[in-house]
Amino acid sequence: MPKVKVDGVEVEVPAGATVLQACEAAGREIPRFCYHERLSIAGNCRMCLVEVKPGPPKPQASCALPAAENQEIFTTTEMVKKAREGVMEFLLINHPLDCPICDQGGECDLQDQSVAYGRGHSRYDENKRAVTEKYMGPIVKTQMTRCIQCTRCVRFAEEVAGVEEIGALFRGENMQITTYLEKAVTSELSGNVVDLCPVGALTSKPYAFEARPWELKKTFAIDVMDAVGTNIRLDSRGPQVLRALPRVNELVNEEWASDKTRHAVDGLVRRRLDKPYVRRNGKLEAVSWGEAFEAIRAVNAGPSVAAIAGDLVDCETMYAAKALLANLGSTLLEGRQTGMDYDVSSLAAVNFNTTIAGIETADVVLLVGANVRWEAPLVNTRIRKAVKRGAKVFAVGPEVDLTYPVTWLGNDLSLLSNLPQVVTDAFGKAVRPALILGGGGFKAGAHGATLGLAETLGLIKDGWNGYNALHFTAARTGGLMLGYAQAKGMADIVAAAPKLVFLLGADEVAADKLAGATKVYVGHHGDKGAAMADIILPAAAYTEKSGTYVNLEGRVQRGDRAVFPPGDAREDWAIFRALSDVLGVRLGFDSLDQLRVAMEAEVPALGRIGELAGFDWAPPALDTAASGEITYPIADFYLTNPIARASETMQRCSAELLHGEAFLEAAE
């Protein structure tokens, strides 16, 4: 590990570190535009200039210069100051002076660094260059005259997203960044280029001209669009969430977020349920809370009651519903609303055991019925990193583009009992082998067959568990921990023929399965669940309540409330607490804190925020025979839940990016 001096301060840095990283280790701030720690080094903005001895008597780009033993680095000399001022002056030669109307204003690297490191005036008086606008799709708004050619967006698209659709045309003064053939970027991670852009060249199209950063209230939350548990920051003004941005969490999402995480938030103000309803004479009529509760009491269901959890609900909601049912004498709880019925006697056997960060260290991966790019985009980026390190990926299922090389073995589960020699050889040599069972594999009944491969392929080693179940709904793991699973799934609920069924934001249940029951929908959007309901109780969306969520690797996380529910809608746990009084039972809690104490007493892992639940590996002995074809459960990445289906942005993404509809811009 080389030792270097930075402005007289000696620091020791890892082998292979750059001078820029050495400066940061010494507490020195180095300006930069092209450099980003998660992307390859480009060295083309020259803003990170420093003076280095021994070396030529000139400023050098610290991002591309390796740190070496006994280097002396100077970051504040007159040479460095003049060099940075010169670079900034060149960068601003063609940059338009439109900060007052630029959406990047207030959080712009160019603004900040021009104040900190610039001259304060320009000696350039020629005409500024102008660049024609580009089209990058429904997510990214372009103003390419502002572009300083840092190429962060180009490198992100190629290296992280895995879609080589952004690049540079022409040379010198005529250089332009654009998408090839000026088509929409098809990546489900395209919104990240807006965060990466250090100027206002790429901004968020749905958020255009909405607000300035200093107007917004910022709230830390957890995303519910998939089971990754992306850490996000919700920016709200008044009663509305205007945008969702990723927070850095190296163990979960690094600093990325999918487009659905970012831009489904406009669906939070559309199709909302803001008052209770009761169906009378075949038509839903608005009523008071008291009338709605009385209609539930009048069913007189006794213990013949069930609760079905949807994909987006928090653990507090599920626990409150479970407590109510327990007091009524029922244990009919289910969270797999579409009908899957895999064995949950061992939670480790339905967990992502390598962890999200760990999968990028795997050296061979077998995917079984997993369209990882749609089911968990940020797990897909980790597998892509593993592939770049040399990992081999094999897959059983319908062929899809996962953005990295995959050896497709076919779409027949019988392959699992007779894997090709190339697969067994690769796993035989592997130090960290991994298998990922996706939604399609669960749906096709491959759980037992893949568990049988755990020993055959050597997935379990000291300090390594390579067996992974890939869930794609935010409520799934938390629901399983709270007991939301019958032995045969929804079939057991249907067989019990309950008189009363609570749908906890459950919109994917087939209505005919519950034809004889009184259905109470506790949710926030007028979607499929509300359409089939007999009674509707308006609840809070994930942005409108503090909630605990468990992601696919068993990591317990908690988000805070950003805004209040609209109209008469209430937080879910409070609805069940109020309903319990009408039904004549006591739940044992009167506040959210009391509920959490009771929930953590029942499931202690739910109180260890930020930690993995730590399930013990004790797989059940299941039938290892499997046959038949796989179909993936997600038909449309952008429209998987009621919030996304209510979002105009997600509707347009689906129409344009998946179904090929053409949208003309206003100028066209």
Side-chain angles (χ1 to χ4, degrees), residues 159-432:
E159 296 165 13
V160 180
V163 292
E164 298 181 0
E165 296 177 348
I166 304 178
L169 297 178
F170 314 123
R171 301 181 68 184
E173 187 182 16
N174 297 318
M175 181 176 172
Q176 301 178 20
I177 303 295
T178 181
T179 53
Y180 297 120
L181 304 179
E182 296 204 14
K183 298 292 185 183
V185 180
T186 58
S187 172
E188 64 289 341
L189 300 170
S190 65
N192 291 290
V193 300
V194 173
D195 288 351
L196 287 172
C197 185
V199 296
L202 304 178
T203 55
S204 170
K205 187 174 285 186
Y207 177 69
F209 309 124
E210 286 287 340
R212 287 301 194 190
W214 54 83
E215 298 178 76
L216 304 174
K217 184 183 79 170
K218 300 167 177 63
T219 307
F220 289 171
I222 302 299
D223 174 55
V224 298
M225 295 296 143
D226 56 31
V228 172
T230 301
N231 288 222
I232 58 175
R233 191 190 82 198
L234 297 171
D235 288 358
S236 58
R237 183 177 60 192
Q240 185 176 351
V241 173
L242 295 180
R243 64 177 179 176
L245 298 175
R247 289 184 286 133
V248 176
N249 188 325
E250 299 293 348
L251 299 175
V252 182
N253 58 295
E254 297 180 291
E255 61 182 81
W256 315 126
S258 75
D259 289 349
K260 189 161 52 175
T261 297
R262 288 174 180 274
H263 295 295
V265 292
D266 63 332
L268 291 165
V269 294
R270 295 176 174 86
R271 304 186 194 171
R272 288 303 302 267
L273 299 171
D274 60 358
K275 55 175 67 77
Y277 289 86
V278 172
R279 192 177 297 277
R280 293 170 178 160
N281 300 319
K283 184 178 179 181
L284 287 169
E285 297 180 3
V287 297
S288 67
W289 276 102
E291 290 175 291
F293 285 167
E294 186 58 32
I296 295 172
R297 191 189 66 79
V299 176
N300 196 24
S304 183
V305 57
I308 301 171
D311 296 342
L312 312 180
V313 293
D314 52 293
C315 292
E316 287 83 353
T317 297
M318 291 186 281
Y319 179 78
K322 179 181 180 179
L324 179 64
L325 264 65
N327 278 276
L328 294 173
S330 173
T331 58
L332 288 175
L333 306 169
E334 182 55 63
R336 299 162 295 178
Q337 53 177 325
T338 56
M340 288 192 279
D341 59 354
Y342 48 84
D343 187 285
V344 296
S345 57
S346 169
L347 292 184
V350 289
N351 188 56
F352 203 87
N353 293 298
T354 61
T355 71
I356 295 172
I359 192 64
E360 68 182 55
T361 66
D363 42 18
V364 61
V365 180
L366 174 62
L367 306 176
V368 180
N371 182 359
V372 192
R373 186 174 175 183
W374 279 11
E375 293 176 33
L378 296 181
V379 173
N380 201 53
T381 62
R382 302 278 191 165
I383 300 175
R384 181 173 166 79
K385 288 169 76 172
V387 171
K388 290 171 75 174
R389 290 186 173 119
K392 295 180 179 178
V393 180
F394 302 94
V396 177
E399 291 192 24
V400 291
D401 178 12
L402 295 177
T403 74
Y404 44 81
V406 178
T407 302
W408 293 93
L409 305 176
N411 187 21
D412 190 341
L413 286 177
S414 61
L415 284 164
L416 299 179
S417 59
N418 188 24
L419 288 169
Q421 187 69 34
V422 64
V423 179
T424 54
D425 287 349
F427 273 86
K429 299 172 186 174
V431 177
R432 298 172 81 96

Side-chain angles (χ1 to χ4, degrees), residues 136-147:
M136 290 194 179
I139 297 296
V140 181
K141 179 175 181 282
T142 65
Q143 186 79 41
M144 300 313 290
T145 299
R146 301 171 184 155
C147 179

Side-chain angles (χ1 to χ4, degrees), residues 336 342-353 442 447 451 465 467 469 471 477 480-481 485 614-622:
R336 299 162 295 178
Y342 48 84
D343 187 285
V344 296
S345 57
S346 169
L347 292 184
V350 289
N351 188 56
F352 203 87
N353 293 298
F442 275 121
H447 192 204
L451 283 173
N465 185 336
Y467 184 86
H471 299 303
T477 303
L480 295 178
M481 292 171 70
F615 307 122
D616 294 328
W617 180 251
L622 304 177

